[in-house]
Amino acid sequence: MKKTLLTAYRQRALLCMALPAIILIIMFNYVPLYGIIVAFKNFDFSLGIGGSQWNGLENFRYLVGMGNKTWRILRNTMGYWALNTLTGMACNLILALAINECRKKYFTKVTHTIMIFPTFISFVAVTFMVEALLKTNGGLINQILAMFGKAPVSWYRESKYWPFILTIVNLWKGTGYGCILYVSALAGMDTEIFEAAEIDGASRFQQIWHISIPQLMALISIKLIMAVGSIMHSNTGLYYLVTKNQVLLHPTVQTIDAYVFDSLRGTGELSSKFGIQAAITFFQMIIGSTLVIITNAIVNKIEPANALF
């Protein structure tokens, strides 16, 4: 303990710099954990969290008892996580490598700035943009289909198209920002290694495959481990707003977060059952945390240097 306090005193300047971030983490990540107990209570506003009666695992039984709806929501949530994680990481890596290989730095900076711009567009605005493309009467895509003699498609009534649509929207909005870490890592690599490979006759593709990608594996592993923690979570803006919460699209687009948000707004069947909503969120947290630990253990077994902890 004495050694720890002595080290903290010596690093007091750094600790003071980190103090605002530490306070924010405690306030927004740890203090709210008290609300987890709502998942084990029959919550009543008039009694508050502490005064509400305990009901054990009753709230969790509802999630299991939803039958096919439970399976559908879990399937959509995990399916979109896998699809977005794989396509997102692949596109982020490819874009970062392309930017790194570009020799015209001015063009690279301008292009990357343009690609990052969609990240700062709210999902409310994205919803109107997607609607302008997909609406049945007057939508740009249906106008193009009409030019080729094709019948218009009622996109908001056909759920089978939305996994593809949502993946495209997610990539368009997040790829530019998602590749920043990879670009930074590539910029920090030792150029002498590439020069030596070039002298040995390695092509640009061979340098990317045998030098750039292997040196990025630690970063890729860490990002994958962290991504596994959100396997039970989804972007409400993407799956609730962009789809306009159309009931006909629920079979392929409704995720856990979208379902809970719909309930909290008072339009779902759980509008007043906050204990069940808390139980669903608690379930997401436990699954995510467990998978992070398991995934990190697997990575640590294969390559300890690439593990998160």
Side-chain angles (χ1 to χ4, degrees):
M1 183 65 180
K2 184 178 179 180
K3 186 178 179 180
T4 302
L5 292 174
L6 182 60
T7 303
Y9 178 76
R10 289 173 178 172
Q11 304 293 335
R12 59 187 181 278
L14 296 177
L15 287 174
C16 288
M17 291 175 61
L19 190 59
I22 294 172
I23 293 174
L24 286 175
I25 289 174
I26 293 173
M27 287 179 58
F28 293 101
N29 292 79
Y30 288 96
V31 173
L33 287 177
Y34 170 72
I36 288 176
I37 64 174
V38 175
F40 305 94
K41 288 194 169 191
N42 184 16
F43 181 70
D44 188 337
F45 264 116
S46 62
L47 300 175
I49 295 178
S52 298
Q53 294 183 348
W54 296 91
N55 64 352
L57 300 177
E58 190 63 33
N59 293 327
F60 293 90
R61 292 193 183 97
Y62 181 88
L63 180 63
V64 177
M66 287 194 299
N68 292 333
K69 181 181 286 188
T70 300
W71 160 245
R72 185 191 74 191
I73 294 173
L74 291 175
R75 178 202 64 194
N76 290 344
T77 303
M78 292 187 289
Y80 279 117
W81 173 87
L83 182 62
N84 291 334
T85 299
L86 293 176
T87 57
M89 292 185 70
C91 290
N92 291 341
L93 182 58
I94 292 171
L95 180 59
L97 291 170
I99 290 173
N100 187 63
E101 290 300 312
C102 184
R103 294 292 175 254
K104 297 185 181 298
K105 297 303 178 184
Y106 176 78
F107 175 78
T108 299
K109 291 179 180 179
V110 173
T111 304
H112 197 198
T113 301
I114 294 172
M115 291 179 178
I116 291 175
F117 181 72
T119 304
F120 304 101
I121 301 176
S122 71
F123 272 104
V124 175
V126 172
T127 300
F128 288 110
M129 294 167 66
V130 172
E131 183 180 11
L133 292 171
L134 300 181
K135 63 182 179 180
T136 306
N137 298 320
L140 180 60
I141 293 180
N142 278 330
Q143 289 183 18
I144 294 173
L145 291 175
M147 291 172 58
F148 291 94
K150 303 292 184 180
V153 178
S154 298
W155 300 100
Y156 288 96
R157 294 177 177 272
E158 299 286 345
S159 61
K160 61 183 179 181
Y161 299 114
W162 281 88
F164 176 76
I165 294 170
L166 293 175
T167 301
I168 294 297
V169 173
N170 184 66
L171 290 175
W172 169 78
K173 198 172 190 303
T175 300
Y177 185 79
C179 74
I180 289 178
L181 283 177
Y182 294 113
V183 172
S184 301
L186 288 168
M189 291 182 181
D190 189 354
T191 57
E192 293 182 359
I193 301 176
F194 295 94
E195 292 172 358
E198 190 172 354
I199 292 173
D200 290 338
S203 63
R204 296 304 302 176
F205 178 78
Q206 289 173 325
Q207 292 178 41
I208 292 172
W209 187 256
H210 295 288
I211 299 176
S212 298
I213 294 180
Q215 291 195 61
L216 289 174
M217 284 308 299
L219 178 59
I220 293 172
S221 298
I222 291 173
K223 285 180 69 68
L224 180 60
I225 293 170
M226 296 178 67
V228 167
S230 60
I231 189 171
M232 286 295 170
H233 292 274
S234 59
N235 191 315
T236 306
L238 181 63
Y239 299 101
Y240 185 87
L241 292 179
V242 174
T243 62
K244 300 172 68 175
N245 195 34
Q246 292 289 336
V247 177
L248 292 175
L249 304 182
H250 282 180
T252 60
V253 305
Q254 191 175 52
T255 60
I256 295 177
D257 289 324
Y259 176 72
V260 172
F261 183 75
D262 188 34
S263 301
L264 285 170
R265 290 185 67 250
T267 58
E269 56 190 291
L270 307 181
S271 56
S272 61
K273 300 177 181 178
F274 292 96
I276 296 175
Q277 296 165 358
I280 294 173
T281 304
F282 183 73
F283 169 75
Q284 292 175 290
M285 183 183 69
I286 292 299
I287 296 297
S289 301
T290 303
L291 289 177
V292 166
I293 295 171
I294 293 173
T295 306
N296 185 79
I298 294 172
V299 173
N300 193 41
K301 192 75 174 177
I302 299 173
E303 183 58 60
N306 294 345
L308 184 60
F309 52 87

Tab-separated table of all heavy atoms in Angstrom, residues 179-209:
chain	number	residue	atom	x	y	z
A	179	CYS	N	-11.617	3.761	-39.529
A	179	CYS	CA	-10.274	3.415	-40.022
A	179	CYS	C	-9.182	4.295	-39.421
A	179	CYS	O	-7.993	4.100	-39.721
A	179	CYS	CB	-10.230	3.489	-41.548
A	179	CYS	SG	-10.216	5.177	-42.203
A	180	ILE	N	-9.554	5.277	-38.580
A	180	ILE	CA	-8.561	6.220	-38.054
A	180	ILE	C	-7.465	5.510	-37.270
A	180	ILE	O	-6.272	5.798	-37.432
A	180	ILE	CB	-9.248	7.284	-37.171
A	180	ILE	CG1	-10.075	8.229	-38.047
A	180	ILE	CG2	-8.220	8.080	-36.376
A	180	ILE	CD1	-10.827	9.279	-37.277
A	181	LEU	N	-7.833	4.561	-36.397
A	181	LEU	CA	-6.839	3.845	-35.606
A	181	LEU	C	-5.874	3.071	-36.490
A	181	LEU	O	-4.667	3.033	-36.229
A	181	LEU	CB	-7.517	2.901	-34.619
A	181	LEU	CG	-8.124	3.533	-33.369
A	181	LEU	CD1	-8.823	2.479	-32.531
A	181	LEU	CD2	-7.065	4.239	-32.546
A	182	TYR	N	-6.405	2.450	-37.536
A	182	TYR	CA	-5.540	1.705	-38.446
A	182	TYR	C	-4.589	2.642	-39.198
A	182	TYR	O	-3.410	2.323	-39.385
A	182	TYR	CB	-6.381	0.914	-39.448
A	182	TYR	CG	-7.208	-0.180	-38.831
A	182	TYR	CD1	-8.596	-0.109	-38.817
A	182	TYR	CD2	-6.610	-1.298	-38.254
A	182	TYR	CE1	-9.356	-1.108	-38.249
A	182	TYR	CE2	-7.361	-2.304	-37.688
A	182	TYR	CZ	-8.741	-2.211	-37.683
A	182	TYR	OH	-9.492	-3.198	-37.111
A	183	VAL	N	-5.105	3.787	-39.611
A	183	VAL	CA	-4.252	4.767	-40.302
A	183	VAL	C	-3.134	5.242	-39.378
A	183	VAL	O	-1.972	5.357	-39.793
A	183	VAL	CB	-5.100	5.968	-40.788
A	183	VAL	CG1	-4.202	7.079	-41.326
A	183	VAL	CG2	-6.086	5.531	-41.860
A	184	SER	N	-3.475	5.497	-38.117
A	184	SER	CA	-2.471	5.941	-37.152
A	184	SER	C	-1.421	4.869	-36.915
A	184	SER	O	-0.225	5.159	-36.824
A	184	SER	CB	-3.144	6.299	-35.825
A	184	SER	OG	-4.102	7.324	-36.010
A	185	ALA	N	-1.865	3.613	-36.810
A	185	ALA	CA	-0.922	2.519	-36.590
A	185	ALA	C	0.002	2.331	-37.787
A	185	ALA	O	1.205	2.097	-37.635
A	185	ALA	CB	-1.686	1.224	-36.310
A	186	LEU	N	-0.549	2.455	-38.992
A	186	LEU	CA	0.272	2.317	-40.201
A	186	LEU	C	1.285	3.454	-40.308
A	186	LEU	O	2.421	3.250	-40.734
A	186	LEU	CB	-0.631	2.301	-41.439
A	186	LEU	CG	-1.462	1.031	-41.645
A	186	LEU	CD1	-2.520	1.257	-42.720
A	186	LEU	CD2	-0.562	-0.140	-42.035
A	187	ALA	N	0.860	4.660	-39.917
A	187	ALA	CA	1.773	5.801	-39.982
A	187	ALA	C	2.944	5.660	-39.017
A	187	ALA	O	4.014	6.227	-39.237
A	187	ALA	CB	1.002	7.091	-39.682
A	188	GLY	N	2.740	4.899	-37.930
A	188	GLY	CA	3.791	4.742	-36.933
A	188	GLY	C	4.718	3.568	-37.181
A	188	GLY	O	5.628	3.320	-36.372
A	189	MET	N	4.512	2.826	-38.250
A	189	MET	CA	5.375	1.680	-38.546
A	189	MET	C	6.749	2.133	-39.036
A	189	MET	O	6.882	3.185	-39.666
A	189	MET	CB	4.716	0.771	-39.589
A	189	MET	CG	3.494	0.036	-39.075
A	189	MET	SD	2.783	-1.057	-40.326
A	189	MET	CE	1.380	-1.726	-39.424
A	190	ASP	N	7.737	1.314	-38.777
A	190	ASP	CA	9.117	1.606	-39.171
A	190	ASP	C	9.252	1.505	-40.692
A	190	ASP	O	9.047	0.431	-41.278
A	190	ASP	CB	10.068	0.614	-38.492
A	190	ASP	CG	11.534	0.997	-38.681
A	190	ASP	OD1	11.810	1.964	-39.424
A	190	ASP	OD2	12.395	0.313	-38.097
A	191	THR	N	9.583	2.613	-41.326
A	191	THR	CA	9.688	2.628	-42.799
A	191	THR	C	10.875	1.817	-43.304
A	191	THR	O	10.889	1.402	-44.465
A	191	THR	CB	9.812	4.076	-43.300
A	191	THR	OG1	10.945	4.696	-42.666
A	191	THR	CG2	8.554	4.874	-42.983
A	192	GLU	N	11.865	1.592	-42.430
A	192	GLU	CA	13.043	0.833	-42.862
A	192	GLU	C	12.686	-0.602	-43.231
A	192	GLU	O	13.327	-1.203	-44.105
A	192	GLU	CB	14.105	0.839	-41.763
A	192	GLU	CG	14.719	2.218	-41.511
A	192	GLU	CD	15.805	2.173	-40.460
A	192	GLU	OE1	16.062	1.073	-39.912
A	192	GLU	OE2	16.412	3.229	-40.192
A	193	ILE	N	11.659	-1.149	-42.563
A	193	ILE	CA	11.240	-2.513	-42.889
A	193	ILE	C	10.704	-2.580	-44.316
A	193	ILE	O	11.037	-3.502	-45.078
A	193	ILE	CB	10.150	-2.987	-41.894
A	193	ILE	CG1	10.681	-2.936	-40.458
A	193	ILE	CG2	9.660	-4.381	-42.247
A	193	ILE	CD1	9.640	-3.291	-39.421
A	194	PHE	N	9.913	-1.581	-44.696
A	194	PHE	CA	9.364	-1.543	-46.055
A	194	PHE	C	10.462	-1.290	-47.082
A	194	PHE	O	10.434	-1.865	-48.178
A	194	PHE	CB	8.288	-0.452	-46.147
A	194	PHE	CG	7.080	-0.720	-45.299
A	194	PHE	CD1	6.982	-0.206	-44.008
A	194	PHE	CD2	6.032	-1.497	-45.784
A	194	PHE	CE1	5.871	-0.457	-43.223
A	194	PHE	CE2	4.913	-1.742	-45.006
A	194	PHE	CZ	4.838	-1.227	-43.717
A	195	GLU	N	11.415	-0.450	-46.736
A	195	GLU	CA	12.537	-0.183	-47.648
A	195	GLU	C	13.366	-1.434	-47.871
A	195	GLU	O	13.785	-1.728	-49.006
A	195	GLU	CB	13.400	0.940	-47.080
A	195	GLU	CG	12.708	2.305	-47.068
A	195	GLU	CD	13.507	3.357	-46.327
A	195	GLU	OE1	14.586	3.002	-45.792
A	195	GLU	OE2	13.057	4.518	-46.263
A	196	ALA	N	13.592	-2.194	-46.809
A	196	ALA	CA	14.354	-3.434	-46.940
A	196	ALA	C	13.592	-4.446	-47.799
A	196	ALA	O	14.185	-5.139	-48.640
A	196	ALA	CB	14.625	-4.020	-45.558
A	197	ALA	N	12.269	-4.516	-47.604
A	197	ALA	CA	11.455	-5.434	-48.400
A	197	ALA	C	11.454	-5.030	-49.866
A	197	ALA	O	11.487	-5.886	-50.765
A	197	ALA	CB	10.029	-5.456	-47.860
A	198	GLU	N	11.414	-3.726	-50.111
A	198	GLU	CA	11.437	-3.240	-51.500
A	198	GLU	C	12.758	-3.569	-52.169
A	198	GLU	O	12.794	-3.941	-53.344
A	198	GLU	CB	11.193	-1.731	-51.502
A	198	GLU	CG	10.952	-1.163	-52.890
A	198	GLU	CD	10.533	0.293	-52.851
A	198	GLU	OE1	10.314	0.827	-51.741
A	198	GLU	OE2	10.433	0.896	-53.947
A	199	ILE	N	13.871	-3.453	-51.425
A	199	ILE	CA	15.192	-3.800	-51.970
A	199	ILE	C	15.257	-5.289	-52.304
A	199	ILE	O	15.867	-5.698	-53.298
A	199	ILE	CB	16.300	-3.423	-50.961
A	199	ILE	CG1	16.385	-1.897	-50.839
A	199	ILE	CG2	17.654	-3.997	-51.391
A	199	ILE	CD1	17.318	-1.426	-49.750
A	200	ASP	N	14.573	-6.096	-51.484
A	200	ASP	CA	14.558	-7.552	-51.723
A	200	ASP	C	13.612	-7.946	-52.848
A	200	ASP	O	13.492	-9.143	-53.162
A	200	ASP	CB	14.149	-8.285	-50.440
A	200	ASP	CG	15.239	-8.205	-49.375
A	200	ASP	OD1	16.409	-7.977	-49.743
A	200	ASP	OD2	14.922	-8.367	-48.179
A	201	GLY	N	12.924	-6.962	-53.414
A	201	GLY	CA	12.066	-7.234	-54.563
A	201	GLY	C	10.604	-7.471	-54.230
A	201	GLY	O	9.840	-7.922	-55.099
A	202	ALA	N	10.180	-7.168	-53.017
A	202	ALA	CA	8.776	-7.370	-52.638
A	202	ALA	C	7.887	-6.315	-53.290
A	202	ALA	O	8.226	-5.129	-53.303
A	202	ALA	CB	8.627	-7.310	-51.119
A	203	SER	N	6.778	-6.749	-53.842
A	203	SER	CA	5.830	-5.820	-54.447
A	203	SER	C	5.044	-5.114	-53.343
A	203	SER	O	5.123	-5.465	-52.166
A	203	SER	CB	4.863	-6.569	-55.362
A	203	SER	OG	4.081	-7.490	-54.616
A	204	ARG	N	4.247	-4.091	-53.736
A	204	ARG	CA	3.457	-3.362	-52.742
A	204	ARG	C	2.446	-4.288	-52.068
A	204	ARG	O	2.225	-4.198	-50.863
A	204	ARG	CB	2.730	-2.186	-53.403
A	204	ARG	CG	3.613	-1.111	-53.970
A	204	ARG	CD	4.568	-0.535	-52.939
A	204	ARG	NE	3.887	0.015	-51.785
A	204	ARG	CZ	4.517	0.502	-50.716
A	204	ARG	NH1	5.841	0.456	-50.648
A	204	ARG	NH2	3.838	1.000	-49.690
A	205	PHE	N	1.839	-5.170	-52.848
A	205	PHE	CA	0.877	-6.101	-52.266
A	205	PHE	C	1.562	-7.046	-51.287
A	205	PHE	O	1.018	-7.347	-50.213
A	205	PHE	CB	0.191	-6.912	-53.361
A	205	PHE	CG	-0.788	-7.932	-52.832
A	205	PHE	CD1	-2.050	-7.547	-52.400
A	205	PHE	CD2	-0.428	-9.277	-52.742
A	205	PHE	CE1	-2.942	-8.491	-51.897
A	205	PHE	CE2	-1.308	-10.209	-52.236
A	205	PHE	CZ	-2.572	-9.821	-51.824
A	206	GLN	N	2.746	-7.527	-51.634
A	206	GLN	CA	3.484	-8.412	-50.729
A	206	GLN	C	3.882	-7.686	-49.439
A	206	GLN	O	3.868	-8.273	-48.355
A	206	GLN	CB	4.723	-8.963	-51.435
A	206	GLN	CG	4.402	-9.975	-52.532
A	206	GLN	CD	5.628	-10.375	-53.319
A	206	GLN	OE1	6.534	-9.569	-53.562
A	206	GLN	NE2	5.672	-11.645	-53.725
A	207	GLN	N	4.229	-6.417	-49.551
A	207	GLN	CA	4.571	-5.639	-48.361
A	207	GLN	C	3.348	-5.472	-47.444
A	207	GLN	O	3.457	-5.550	-46.224
A	207	GLN	CB	5.116	-4.270	-48.773
A	207	GLN	CG	6.474	-4.324	-49.465
A	207	GLN	CD	6.950	-2.957	-49.903
A	207	GLN	OE1	6.809	-1.976	-49.194
A	207	GLN	NE2	7.513	-2.881	-51.107
A	208	ILE	N	2.200	-5.240	-48.078
A	208	ILE	CA	0.969	-5.115	-47.290
A	208	ILE	C	0.643	-6.434	-46.597
A	208	ILE	O	0.329	-6.467	-45.399
A	208	ILE	CB	-0.201	-4.675	-48.194
A	208	ILE	CG1	0.011	-3.238	-48.679
A	208	ILE	CG2	-1.535	-4.801	-47.455
A	208	ILE	CD1	-0.993	-2.788	-49.715
A	209	TRP	N	0.726	-7.530	-47.349
A	209	TRP	CA	0.321	-8.833	-46.837
A	209	TRP	C	1.275	-9.379	-45.771
A	209	TRP	O	0.843	-9.975	-44.792
A	209	TRP	CB	0.214	-9.828	-47.992
A	209	TRP	CG	-0.344	-11.154	-47.596
A	209	TRP	CD1	0.339	-12.322	-47.417
A	209	TRP	CD2	-1.714	-11.460	-47.303
A	209	TRP	NE1	-0.496	-13.326	-47.047
A	209	TRP	CE2	-1.771	-12.830	-46.971
A	209	TRP	CE3	-2.892	-10.695	-47.298
A	209	TRP	CZ2	-2.965	-13.455	-46.630
A	209	TRP	CZ3	-4.074	-11.323	-46.965
A	209	TRP	CH2	-4.100	-12.686	-46.630
